[in-house]
Amino acid sequence: MNRTKIKRRVGKYEVGRTIGEGTFAKVKFARNSETGESVAIKILDKDKVLKHKMAEQIKREIATMKLIRHPHVVQLYEVMGSKTKIFIVLEFVTGGELFDKIVNHGRMREEEARKYFQQLINTVDYCHSRGVYHRDLKPENLLLDASGDLKVSDFGLSALSQQVRDDGLLHTTCGTPNYVAPEVLNDRGYDGATADLWSCGVILFVLLAGYLPFDDSNLMNLYNKISAAEFTCPPWISFGAMKLITRILDPNPTTRITVPEILEDEWFKKDYRPPVFDEIEEANLDDVEAVFKDSEEHHVTEKREEKPTSMNAFELISMSQGLNLGNLFDEQGFKRETRFTSKCPANEIISKIEEAAKPLGFDVHKKNYKMRLQNLKAGRKGNLNVSTEVFQVAPSLHMVEVRKAKGDTLEFHKFYKNLSTCLDEVVWKTEQDMEQKT
């Protein structure tokens, strides 16, 4: 098979498709051209970082992360910089999100939930002992590796997942307030360790119950429920697990259970086997310093091509679950992205999406074969932002990815339903699709 051209190179890495997006960073799949290893590259805009006076904090957090080598933490390999960007090279985790298991199969059996919770607490304890706090533990940050073991992402990179307001101060993002401790919501300063533990308690509840302990469409009601720790355990949760959850979800951070106390808890201790691994005593931090220096010698080169990113057969197979349009509307799905294939030229696909999005109230920003669609009207979680990208699978076949970048998932589903009816002639129909329609 011919080696496909990839749209962009950063140093020794060939950069491919976008796999995630946050307030300050975009995450892309990449391949180390020397070893063939898959990695994830988190890309930050240098101007934004400097404008919000975050350089020192990010530098400090990246340096700390390089010292953390834990089997349940996504590993940070290296940091690079160009004139305009900062590139954080991370381990690429293949098993998806832990919470997809609940979405697809419902709540977990206690043995399985306990195994993941033990891995989570072990990770949190290790990082806290090194002065590193997550401050944003939520479903998107809990990944699984190929063996089905937990991998926590963004540990220590909390500056990237929190929002800077006009006053230049860091304030907690309330995109997922359901997992946030009451003292964090009060915004009066808090202890990172006890706040992380609260989030672990919410996560344990969700694993065992299959739903959130605190949930309300009205934000004020939700805040009140969290502040009062107002929740009810379902009858199928054992007494031991219920007792532990209640001690973690204590709204008073000074009386909340601590990690050493959790490690002594009878329910927690069952079959507990902490991982054995080698710690590193020191790490080379030269690259962290170099990233923030402006001299040319430290910059990596970025090469670009003005055509859609090529996608080889292996990448296509790894994403093939998403090729069916109906996937987005699966009742259990809650998907934040979907894909379809098209035999139309890339320029035509872009034009058709633009034509369809504008009447739906979206502002369209185009760059090469990517688009950002922004709803001018604010929804439940602010303005809905949708990212689309066209990939070339073969000379006359393209794959289009449509992803929610910001906003409410339900509103994204509604938008996509409307969009897909307008794109009927663009989407490539297989014989199976035709049969389903008739």
Side-chain angles (χ1 to χ4, degrees):
M1 183 194 284
N2 289 337
R3 199 56 199 270
T4 54
K5 281 183 188 174
I6 294 198
K7 194 172 186 184
R8 188 170 167 198
R9 275 183 83 93
V10 174
K12 63 186 173 193
Y13 298 97
E14 297 171 336
V15 181
R17 67 184 190 275
T18 302
I19 51 178
E21 239 169 298
T23 313
F24 284 101
K26 192 174 269 193
V27 186
K28 286 186 175 281
F29 173 81
R31 197 174 277 117
N32 183 328
S33 59
E34 292 170 9
T35 64
E37 183 189 17
S38 296
V39 296
I41 297 190
K42 190 164 273 209
I43 304 170
L44 285 84
D45 189 305
K46 226 180 219 182
D47 281 348
K48 268 190 195 172
V49 168
L50 296 170
K51 181 180 149 205
H52 291 304
K53 301 180 177 60
M54 291 171 71
E56 280 311 309
Q57 184 178 355
I58 288 174
K59 199 194 290 188
R60 193 171 59 245
E61 294 192 351
I62 291 170
T64 313
M65 277 309 296
K66 287 198 81 179
L67 292 165
I68 289 199
R69 289 282 185 280
H70 187 280
H72 299 308
V73 176
V74 172
Q75 198 178 327
L76 191 155
Y77 295 133
E78 65 173 306
V79 192
M80 300 176 291
S82 70
K83 278 184 187 173
T84 57
K85 301 275 194 293
I86 296 164
F87 304 96
I88 303 171
V89 184
L90 301 157
E91 175 185 3
F92 179 63
V93 184
T94 55
E97 289 178 20
L98 172 66
F99 279 71
D100 287 343
K101 288 182 78 123
I102 290 176
V103 167
N104 297 325
H105 307 293
R107 67 178 192 259
M108 289 182 184
R109 288 177 300 110
E110 272 198 18
E111 293 72 28
E112 191 181 13
R114 177 168 29 227
K115 179 191 89 167
Y116 288 124
F117 185 68
Q118 287 168 339
Q119 291 179 352
L120 179 62
I121 290 297
N122 184 273
T123 309
V124 164
D125 184 32
Y126 176 85
C127 293
H128 287 179
S129 71
R130 275 140 193 80
V132 183
Y133 307 99
H134 197 293
R135 301 185 183 94
D136 196 25
L137 283 166
K138 59 186 178 185
E140 293 92 316
N141 291 322
L142 302 181
L143 308 174
L144 296 175
D145 65 13
S147 318
D149 284 317
L150 193 70
K151 286 277 186 181
V152 184
S153 69
D154 278 2
F155 227 117
L157 297 178
S158 60
L160 306 186
S161 54
Q162 291 182 326
Q163 227 143 17
V164 174
R165 291 204 203 127
D166 295 339
D167 59 8
L169 298 171
L170 274 172
H171 297 262
T172 307
T173 317
C174 282
T176 320
N178 310 72
Y179 292 85
V180 174
E183 65 269 23
V184 179
L185 293 173
N186 294 338
D187 207 8
R188 291 195 202 107
Y190 56 91
D191 176 331
T194 48
D196 275 353
L197 271 184
W198 172 280
S199 303
C200 293
V202 177
I203 287 161
L204 177 59
F205 184 98
V206 175
L207 295 179
L208 291 169
Y211 58 87
L212 285 158
F214 312 106
D215 205 12
D216 203 295
S217 55
N218 179 303
L219 212 52
M220 275 325 294
N221 289 349
L222 176 63
Y223 284 6
N224 290 336
K225 283 179 181 177
I226 292 171
S227 298
E230 191 187 302
F231 70 96
T232 312
C233 281
W236 58 81
I237 293 184
S238 71
F239 179 70
M242 191 166 69
K243 205 167 75 174
L244 178 58
I245 289 169
T246 309
R247 291 188 68 195
I248 302 173
L249 298 181
D250 176 350
N252 181 349
T254 58
T255 55
R256 191 173 300 154
I257 191 171
T258 62
V259 170
E261 288 170 333
I262 291 175
L263 296 175
E264 288 306 310
D265 180 86
E266 287 305 317
W267 183 87
F268 179 89
K269 279 198 302 190
K270 195 174 181 215
D271 302 324
Y272 178 47
R273 279 184 297 276
V276 178
F277 59 97
D278 292 326
E279 294 187 47
I280 54 162
E281 293 306 314
E282 54 184 81
N284 184 345
L285 303 178
D286 293 349
D287 57 351
V288 184
E289 284 302 319
V291 158
F292 292 92
K293 283 185 180 157
D294 277 331
S295 58
E296 289 294 323
E297 62 183 297
H298 296 295
H299 290 158
V300 291
T301 53
E302 296 179 66
K303 293 178 189 163
R304 300 166 180 274
E305 293 169 22
E306 291 301 312
K307 64 178 211 175
T309 305
S310 298
M311 180 170 282
N312 64 32
F314 298 109
E315 284 186 285
L316 186 63
I317 290 162
S318 77
M319 300 170 80
S320 62
Q321 271 185 317
L323 289 173
N324 177 354
L325 266 176
N327 247 15
L328 186 76
F329 311 117
D330 174 2
E331 284 302 305
Q332 294 297 309
F334 303 110
K335 288 202 170 20
R336 291 186 286 274
E337 61 177 61
T338 191
R339 304 171 190 91
F340 63 84
T341 41
S342 176
K343 287 188 165 181
C344 296
N347 287 338
E348 194 181 314
I349 298 169
I350 293 283
S351 301
K352 292 280 186 195
I353 294 174
E354 186 176 11
E355 278 171 35
K358 281 186 171 168
L360 298 172
F362 282 78
D363 210 4
V364 178
H365 304 275
K366 287 186 289 187
K367 188 179 177 189
N368 300 336
Y369 294 91
K370 296 179 186 179
M371 297 169 83
R372 181 81 166 210
L373 314 174
Q374 185 174 25
N375 196 339
L376 300 170
K377 212 169 85 189
R380 268 185 67 216
K381 292 182 183 171
N383 299 67
L384 176 65
N385 278 17
V386 178
S387 293
T388 74
E389 184 166 0
V390 179
F391 298 91
Q392 186 171 37
V393 181
S396 58
L397 183 65
H398 292 93
M399 191 195 81
V400 184
E401 186 175 76
V402 183
R403 198 159 33 83
K404 184 198 86 174
K406 235 171 94 182
D408 185 62
T409 307
L410 219 62
E411 287 170 21
F412 169 62
H413 284 207
K414 214 176 285 179
F415 157 76
Y416 187 77
K417 233 173 208 172
N418 291 332
L419 182 75
S420 58
T421 54
C422 306
L423 297 177
D424 210 36
E425 74 252 40
V426 176
V427 178
W428 177 34
K429 309 284 190 304
T430 62
E431 283 179 28
Q432 189 186 354
D433 290 333
M434 293 302 215
E435 282 166 22
Q436 282 174 355
K437 275 207 153 186
T438 53

